Amino acid sequence: MDKTIIAQRLSEFYMFSELQPAQIEQLVAGTRALDVPRGGTLFNRGDRAHGFYLLLEGQVKLGVISPQGDEKVIGLIQPGQSFGEAVLFLERSFPIYAQAILDAKVLLITRDAIFDILDSDVTVVRRMLAGISARNRQLVNDIESISLQNSTQRLIGYLLQISADSPNPARVQLPASKLTIASMLNITPETLSRVMLRLHNAGLIEVNGKEIVITNVAGLRNFE
Amino acid sequence: MDKTIIAQRLSEFYMFSELQPAQIEQLVAGTRALDVPRGGTLFNRGDRAHGFYLLLEGQVKLGVISPQGDEKVIGLIQPGQSFGEAVLFLERSFPIYAQAILDAKVLLITRDAIFDILDSDVTVVRRMLAGISARNRQLVNDIESISLQNSTQRLIGYLLQISADSPNPARVQLPASKLTIASMLNITPETLSRVMLRLHNAGLIEVNGKEIVITNVAGLRNFE
DNA sequence: TACAGTTATTGATTCGAATCAAGTTTTGAA
DNA sequence: TTCAAAACTTGATTCGAATCAATAACTGTA
């Protein structure tokens, strides 16, 4: 896989999102791209951690096998998710195995690469901790909005967020299909469509495909 | 609290267990012991972070409150666990509040003390990375289960998790009131009560206050 | 430019869980 | 030991959003 692609993927990953280009370069040198066919094993229980993994495509299953031989799936990894970080940083062996359940492309960021870069530059520690912490905050926010707000409020929050501090009226472009946006907001596409219609009928937004004009930012903020 | 006791407790904490006595001394100088009565607040949402916390005794609840006053419990902290690390590395305030739900003894390890140690010791860095990574993983799991599972499956998942690998039948103790558990699972107390009744009627669990006996672990895992 | 496949909208209906209400039980503090 | 407050349970009802179903409107590509 192309080095620039790997650099791109690594810098999009939350843990490295605060790193500088030179630091990403260094990391790329210690990263291996792996193609794992469906059914293939990434690591077994008891293996030493040689690094941690970032799944780019496909799907990976994490699990344990009991002494009686039955299998318990601990988690399913989707593209964009990483696994094995905690084990790596704690310098333990894996308590689980990882197996591809679809043909998978993964990046293995090696132990040496991570630890070298951590040691080589004192700013890296702060930057990585900042990246992980920002992710932590985002997750807490997500839980809060899923838990405490209805679908209308979630959509409003999202629209206000992506319109940031645009003037009134704000013109924003949805960054993905409405199916994808709906899934992010944890609602069905049908509900998204209906909520948008309601906001439109209330005179707050105009919808043209992916382009949304918030005609009344304050009104949207105070809706209901 | 006595300095030697604080030193003792800090050096037992996994994050600092590899530190030299001199480093522990340094950390102790930047640590404050707090007694928080049941119901007392450690910090509120929006407070600036002065450090992170290590719970020695009692129990602490982490949560958020919606503008309408609804509460969502994000996590329950048990003795030996730390919280508030992630906020240290962003120039932000706490996104959650922390309240003691039992009389609690906590150590507040101040920001400056931590930063000094982070610069001087690599194992602390790695363990902090591991700790926050593990917490992020847990948050992702929480989002997933809130999003993808109904209330019955969420309770079952929770019971199986806290019973871990107990034998069959497993006897577990709820770590908090049913109100708190319900909030963590994102259901109302009424629904929690009804789901428990259903599982009981299906012959899977016995409920006596906070004590739950899972009479049929396999059956519970495969319920519905 | 046509058309196949995805993406989006709209309507009817169902369902899970919240809410409202009224108890009972447990609890911890005086 | 008592008693008020908090925690919990059970029942009736409502409500938000999912599901099921049937188009309509795009979008890429042959």
Side-chain angles (χ1 to χ4, degrees):
Chain A
M1 190 184 288
D2 187 31
K3 292 275 182 201
T4 47
I5 305 274
I6 294 180
Q8 174 70 17
R9 298 308 184 91
L10 288 182
S11 57
E12 284 164 0
F13 181 53
Y14 70 86
M15 197 178 286
F16 305 132
S17 62
E18 305 290 324
L19 296 190
Q20 291 168 338
Q23 297 166 335
I24 294 284
E25 284 305 306
Q26 198 182 337
L27 216 45
V28 169
T31 296
R32 292 210 301 266
L34 307 175
D35 282 297
V36 186
R38 176 202 183 95
T41 299
L42 283 112
F43 53 79
N44 283 301
R45 180 187 186 129
D47 287 355
R48 295 289 300 171
H50 298 301
F52 78 92
Y53 298 82
L54 173 59
L55 181 64
L56 300 181
E57 291 173 26
Q59 203 172 42
V60 169
K61 179 175 73 177
L62 305 179
V64 291
I65 293 187
S66 74
Q68 294 79 26
D70 33 70
E71 176 186 53
K72 165 80 181 117
V73 175
I74 302 285
L76 276 182
I77 302 297
Q78 304 295 339
Q81 296 188 315
S82 57
F83 52 104
E85 316 88 295
V87 173
L88 175 66
F89 292 128
L90 292 175
E91 309 201 64
R92 302 259 178 75
S93 55
F94 289 110
I96 53 175
Y97 68 85
Q99 183 186 34
I101 55 178
L102 298 174
D103 289 349
K105 285 189 193 305
V106 296
L107 296 182
L108 168 60
I109 300 113
T110 59
R111 181 198 144 81
D112 292 346
I114 293 281
F115 285 0
D116 282 354
I117 182 177
L118 278 175
D119 292 340
S120 70
D121 184 343
V122 287
T123 71
V124 167
V125 168
R126 297 288 170 82
R127 289 170 191 275
M128 273 181 63
L129 283 166
I132 299 180
S133 299
R135 162 84 168 160
N136 185 279
R137 166 173 301 261
Q138 184 56 53
L139 291 171
V140 169
N141 285 345
D142 289 350
I143 289 181
E144 181 179 4
S145 73
I146 293 173
S147 303
L148 297 174
Q149 299 188 134
N150 62 28
S151 56
T152 304
Q153 291 305 316
R154 293 209 295 280
L155 175 59
I156 289 175
Y158 180 72
L159 289 177
L160 291 173
Q161 181 197 314
I162 63 173
S163 75
D165 29 37
S166 305
N168 186 353
R171 184 177 300 268
V172 300
Q173 194 79 11
L174 294 181
S177 73
K178 289 179 185 170
L179 261 67
T180 303
I181 304 290
S183 171
M184 281 193 2
L185 297 174
N186 239 98
I187 55 182
T188 57
E190 294 94 324
T191 297
L192 179 68
S193 190
R194 287 174 181 128
V195 172
M196 284 196 163
L197 185 60
R198 283 233 317 289
L199 295 178
H200 171 74
N201 289 339
L204 299 171
I205 64 173
E206 297 289 333
V207 182
N208 268 75
K210 286 195 167 60
E211 181 172 284
I212 315 266
V213 180
I214 305 177
T215 47
N216 182 348
V217 173
L220 190 64
R221 182 166 288 124
N222 301 321
F223 187 73
E224 264 187 0
Chain B
M1 192 184 286
D2 188 34
K3 292 272 181 201
T4 45
I5 305 274
I6 294 179
Q8 175 70 18
R9 297 309 184 92
L10 287 179
S11 57
E12 285 165 357
F13 181 49
Y14 81 101
M15 204 178 281
F16 305 133
S17 62
E18 308 278 322
L19 294 182
Q20 302 297 317
Q23 292 173 303
I24 293 285
E25 284 305 306
Q26 189 187 338
L27 214 45
V28 169
T31 296
R32 292 208 302 265
L34 308 174
D35 282 297
V36 185
R38 175 200 184 93
T41 299
L42 284 110
F43 52 80
N44 282 301
R45 179 189 191 125
D47 286 355
R48 299 288 302 173
H50 299 299
F52 80 96
Y53 297 83
L54 171 60
L55 181 65
L56 300 180
E57 289 173 27
Q59 201 173 41
V60 169
K61 178 175 77 174
L62 307 179
V64 292
I65 294 185
S66 76
Q68 295 77 28
D70 301 320
E71 178 186 49
K72 160 70 183 158
V73 176
I74 303 271
L76 274 181
I77 303 297
Q78 305 294 343
Q81 297 185 318
S82 57
F83 56 102
E85 302 95 317
V87 198
L88 284 181
F89 304 102
L90 300 172
E91 298 299 315
R92 304 289 289 278
S93 51
F94 286 108
I96 55 175
Y97 68 85
Q99 183 189 35
I101 55 178
L102 297 174
D103 290 347
K105 286 189 193 304
V106 295
L107 297 181
L108 167 60
I109 300 122
T110 58
R111 199 184 153 84
D112 293 345
I114 280 295
F115 281 21
D116 287 348
I117 292 289
L118 281 178
D119 291 340
S120 69
D121 193 284
V122 66
T123 65
V124 173
V125 167
R126 293 176 187 179
R127 288 180 185 191
M128 187 158 280
L129 286 167
I132 304 179
S133 295
R135 185 141 308 153
N136 282 357
R137 156 108 358 146
Q138 183 59 49
L139 291 172
V140 170
N141 283 344
D142 290 349
I143 290 177
E144 209 167 74
S145 76
I146 293 171
S147 305
L148 269 25
Q149 297 187 135
N150 63 27
S151 56
T152 304
Q153 290 306 315
R154 294 209 293 281
L155 175 60
I156 290 175
Y158 180 73
L159 291 176
L160 291 173
Q161 181 197 314
I162 63 174
S163 74
D165 30 36
S166 306
N168 186 352
R171 183 177 302 266
V172 301
Q173 193 80 11
L174 293 181
S177 72
K178 288 179 186 171
L179 263 65
T180 300
I181 305 290
S183 173
M184 287 208 324
L185 297 174
N186 231 66
I187 55 184
T188 56
E190 294 95 323
T191 298
L192 180 68
S193 190
R194 289 174 179 127
V195 172
M196 282 195 164
L197 185 60
R198 282 233 318 287
L199 296 178
H200 171 75
N201 289 339
L204 299 171
I205 65 174
E206 297 289 333
V207 182
N208 268 73
K210 284 196 170 60
E211 181 171 285
I212 314 265
V213 180
I214 305 176
T215 46
N216 182 348
V217 173
L220 191 63
R221 184 166 286 126
N222 301 320
F223 186 74
E224 264 187 0

